[in-house]
Amino acid sequence: MLTIDAQRFMRRHESLAKWGATGKGGVNRPALSADETGARRELLDWARTRGFAIYVDPIGNLFVRRQGRSANALPIRMGSHLDSQMPGGNYDGVYGVLAAFEVLETLEDNAVAFDAPLELIVWNNEEGCRFSPTTMGSAVHAGSLPLEQALCAVDSEGVTVGRALERSLHLLGSLTPVDLGSPCSGYIEAHIEQGPRLEALGLSVGVVSGIQGIAQFVFEVEGEEAHAGTTPRDKRKDALRGAINLVEDLALAIEHDDDVRFTVGKFEVAPGAINTVPAKVVFTVDLRHPDSEELARLVQVVQVVSSSLRLRCRVHCRQILNSPPIKFDAAVTAVISESCAKAGIDTMTLPSGATHDAKHMAELCPSGMIFIPCRDGISHSDREYASAQDMIQGANILLASIVRLADLTSVGTSDQKHERV
């Protein structure tokens, strides 16, 4: 059975870990930052050394291609992202990029040829913490988000995606342009689970059935500034008290079953003076559910609850993301399951609670995902950790699954096998 070069794979991981290292085991590598650009450049230097072709689309997604035998065959793709939360872990995203690159290198080492070219995609701005929304690069590539809207997104310093992308691409060397939505025949993404189920069951690989839906909102609660010492309670228009009441009302109305995920991740109070009644609060809500109809109902609940705030404050609710749940292609998930069975690996099928770029790729081609466990299910943290054994095991399953997909999509008969050249 063909296997990856485990030592090289782990060396690559250690090498990229220096970009944005926090000194606590994690990285601070926001999209299009100097550190993320450095990590991208190092990966592309490895690709150039191997003779792989390199492309970029208009939103800054990078494509590393190992050519196939046929000029007409559509590529099979793998990938993930190199940007992190601020700060984040050293496995989220980067693991899938390195696993995919190791697949390309292993096939090159062993001179294994397919009709179809194989491509690694490094997606731009998956995390969405510097520029909103999340999974920006894959959303634009798949046509779910207009390019111009994405390029105009700004960070907290007023820098646009377009400007940051221009600066970053200047440092990456020669890149060949490729169109958005370029066709492909399949996509698999390897990732840490970011949850506790695989570790709890002692499993090293999980087969992902789909991704739950997400609705995100920005709330603005407007009151009125007043003196903290002289303004009676019945005269106050306290935006903070109003926002707290609204969050409690939302939680009571929404959190009715174990499948609901309701998170207030950002909470800003103005003017922020110790002796002034708050005049304005801005906060966010992240709402998730695996069922599309139930998620749509919960979105309506949010709208109703936000219109009934007490304490005489005004509320503006703006939905910034509507991402319905998806199910991955049955044939791709079967290929991954069969690869596990052939390798003698026990596995399970599970949904993803987090969103990933594979969700947008599922709109373009048959897609699937491979999960490996992370310790205690912790992610988006310096404490995020995956064992070398699980990382290697997952990369080998990615390799076997890609080989199987390449065999199935070969030009000619459906059972044509790969060959060494």
Side-chain angles (χ1 to χ4, degrees):
M1 179 180 175
L2 197 62
T3 58
I4 67 164
D5 183 329
Q7 291 185 344
R8 176 177 62 196
F9 178 48
M10 297 310 300
R11 284 198 309 271
R12 299 275 201 226
H13 183 261
E14 292 175 4
S15 185
L16 289 192
K18 69 179 182 289
W19 295 104
T22 63
K24 301 177 182 179
V27 294
N28 191 343
R29 202 161 59 208
L32 302 175
S33 64
D35 281 312
E36 200 243 3
T37 298
R40 285 180 153 216
R41 178 59 192 251
E42 184 165 0
L43 178 77
L44 295 185
D45 287 345
W46 297 337
R48 292 182 175 109
T49 298
R50 298 306 303 247
F52 298 145
I54 302 171
Y55 304 86
V56 63
D57 71 9
I59 193 57
N61 300 313
L62 302 176
F63 299 75
V64 176
R65 172 180 284 212
R66 181 176 185 260
Q67 299 291 358
R69 291 183 302 232
S70 172
N72 299 319
L74 294 178
I76 299 170
R77 290 172 171 162
M78 309 163 278
S80 197
H81 58 97
L82 291 176
D83 64 313
S84 78
Q85 288 288 321
M86 302 166 61
N90 194 32
Y91 301 83
D92 177 0
V94 64
Y95 169 69
V97 170
L98 289 173
F101 190 73
E102 180 58 36
V103 168
L104 298 182
E105 289 205 281
T106 297
L107 294 173
E108 190 72 8
D109 291 342
N110 291 273
V112 178
F114 303 104
D115 286 338
L118 303 180
E119 290 183 347
L120 155 65
I121 306 179
V122 182
W123 297 107
N124 185 21
N125 189 34
E126 192 274 350
E127 294 291 357
C129 57
R130 181 184 180 190
F131 302 104
S132 183
T134 187
T135 61
M136 177 183 285
S138 55
V140 171
H141 186 78
S144 300
L145 178 67
L147 173 63
E148 289 306 316
Q149 180 180 332
L151 292 175
C152 291
V154 297
D155 66 9
S156 60
E157 304 297 323
V159 178
T160 66
V161 168
R163 180 60 178 147
L165 180 58
E166 181 182 354
R167 293 172 180 171
S168 179
L169 293 180
H170 177 71
L171 300 173
L172 296 184
S174 178
L175 303 169
T176 302
V178 67
D179 292 337
L180 296 171
S182 53
C184 60
S185 62
Y187 176 82
I188 300 179
E189 182 169 343
H191 208 280
I192 60 170
E193 181 192 352
Q194 300 179 284
R197 296 180 66 185
L198 291 176
E199 183 184 48
L201 294 173
L203 300 175
S204 60
V205 176
V207 182
V208 186
S209 57
I211 298 177
Q212 69 179 349
I214 307 175
Q216 292 180 337
F217 305 84
V218 173
F219 286 85
E220 295 182 4
V221 181
E222 295 182 353
E224 189 174 280
E225 292 176 5
H227 194 288
T230 62
T231 309
R233 183 176 61 184
D234 64 352
K235 299 296 184 182
R236 296 186 179 204
K237 297 180 181 179
D238 189 329
L240 178 57
R241 290 284 301 278
I244 291 171
N245 286 345
L246 179 54
V247 170
E248 290 176 344
D249 290 348
L250 287 168
L252 284 173
I254 288 171
E255 292 184 306
H256 57 82
D257 69 57
D258 289 340
D259 288 331
V260 175
R261 297 291 182 268
F262 170 78
T263 303
V264 176
K266 183 178 181 180
F267 208 88
E268 298 176 342
V269 182
I274 193 170
N275 60 351
T276 303
V277 175
K280 185 174 182 179
V281 172
V282 178
F283 69 91
T284 60
V285 165
D286 182 295
L287 179 61
R288 307 189 185 207
H289 200 281
D291 181 80
S292 58
E293 292 185 2
E294 179 61 11
L295 182 62
R297 189 190 72 81
L298 293 173
V299 168
Q300 293 300 313
V301 171
V302 168
Q303 302 289 353
V304 170
V305 172
S306 65
S307 66
S308 58
L309 179 64
R310 296 163 281 165
L311 298 181
R312 303 183 304 279
C313 293
R314 296 183 300 276
V315 176
H316 177 64
C317 174
R318 176 167 55 96
Q319 186 170 357
I320 60 172
L321 180 66
N322 178 25
S323 181
I326 61 101
K327 290 184 178 180
F328 286 131
D329 184 82
V332 175
T333 56
V335 162
I336 298 169
S337 296
E338 291 162 5
S339 297
C340 291
K342 189 173 182 180
I345 298 173
D346 291 333
T347 188
M348 67 177 295
T349 300
L350 72 167
S352 174
T355 195
H356 299 283
D357 295 301
K359 181 169 187 174
H360 293 295
M361 283 302 289
E363 302 169 17
L364 296 180
C365 68
S367 299
M369 288 190 72
I370 296 167
F371 273 171
I372 63 168
C374 54
R375 186 167 60 196
D376 298 327
I378 293 172
S379 185
H380 289 184
S381 164
D382 286 318
R383 295 184 295 132
E384 179 183 280
Y385 175 79
S387 72
Q389 179 180 354
D390 290 336
M391 292 172 67
I392 293 164
Q393 191 84 276
N396 277 322
I397 293 303
L398 178 63
L399 171 62
S401 300
I402 290 296
V403 168
R404 178 62 178 155
L405 279 183
D407 286 339
L408 292 173
T409 58
S410 291
V411 174
T413 61
S414 60
D415 61 349
Q416 180 178 347
K417 300 299 181 184
H418 60 265
E419 63 183 42
R420 297 175 186 266
V421 294

